[in-house]
Amino acid sequence: MKKRILIRFKKNTIDKPIVYRLAKDYDLIFNILRAHVYPKAESIMVLEIEGEEENFERGMEYLKSKNLQIEPIEQDITRDENKCVHCGICTSVCATEALFIDRMKKMRVGFDYEKCVACELCVKVCPVKAMNVYFD
Ligand code: SF4
Ligand code: SF4
């Protein structure tokens, strides 16, 4: 399985080698998609993690035992369906094709959370500010 999660670090936990432990102790492969590190405040890291389901669950339990807050990234990346006018501009910058033109649905723009890596390029180009990424 492959999942993307957001980890929130309290200011006194950012120096712990937790990502290293995920790989070494739980045999999980990780890819750091984003990291905002603030030594004197809460920091965040977005990770894509790949491995056996059981190892993933054990790894998440380990993170929680370290008092870290774990969230699926879907709740931090949203599209305001009332604002989106399906202009398609965002699909030209979305490298992972999380945003795509759905030709089966009258050329409307679809959004596949599973493919999103939270790069925020769509937020910058959307003319009506329909895309939102809130990690803070
Ligand atoms: S750029 Fe904005 S308005 Fe246009 S399709 Fe993308 S989310 Fe919708
Ligand atoms: S944040 Fe990046 S990957 Fe996610 S939908 Fe927007 S452009 Fe695509």
Side-chain angles (χ1 to χ4, degrees), residues 4 33-34 46 48 73 77 96 98 113 115-119:
R4 280 153 308 132
L33 301 176
R34 298 191 58 163
V46 179
E48 183 170 69
I73 68 166
I77 301 166
T96 64
Y113 290 102
K115 291 183 177 172
C116 178
V117 294
C119 69

Side-chain angles (χ1 to χ4, degrees), residues 79-87 108-109 126 128 130:
R79 180 171 68 174
D80 186 333
E81 300 301 335
N82 293 322
K83 284 187 180 173
C84 178
V85 292
H86 296 269
C87 65
R108 289 173 73 81
V109 173
C126 178
V128 296

Side-chain angles (χ1 to χ4, degrees), residues 103-114:
R103 295 176 197 284
M104 304 297 281
K105 287 190 179 173
K106 297 186 179 160
M107 305 294 279
R108 289 173 73 81
V109 173
F111 183 26
D112 182 352
Y113 290 102
E114 293 294 316

Side-chain angles (χ1 to χ4, degrees), residues 93-96 98-99 111 115-122 131 133:
V93 298
C94 184
T96 64
L99 288 157
F111 183 26
K115 291 183 177 172
C116 178
V117 294
C119 69
E120 289 190 54
L121 288 178
C122 56
M131 296 302 299
V133 178

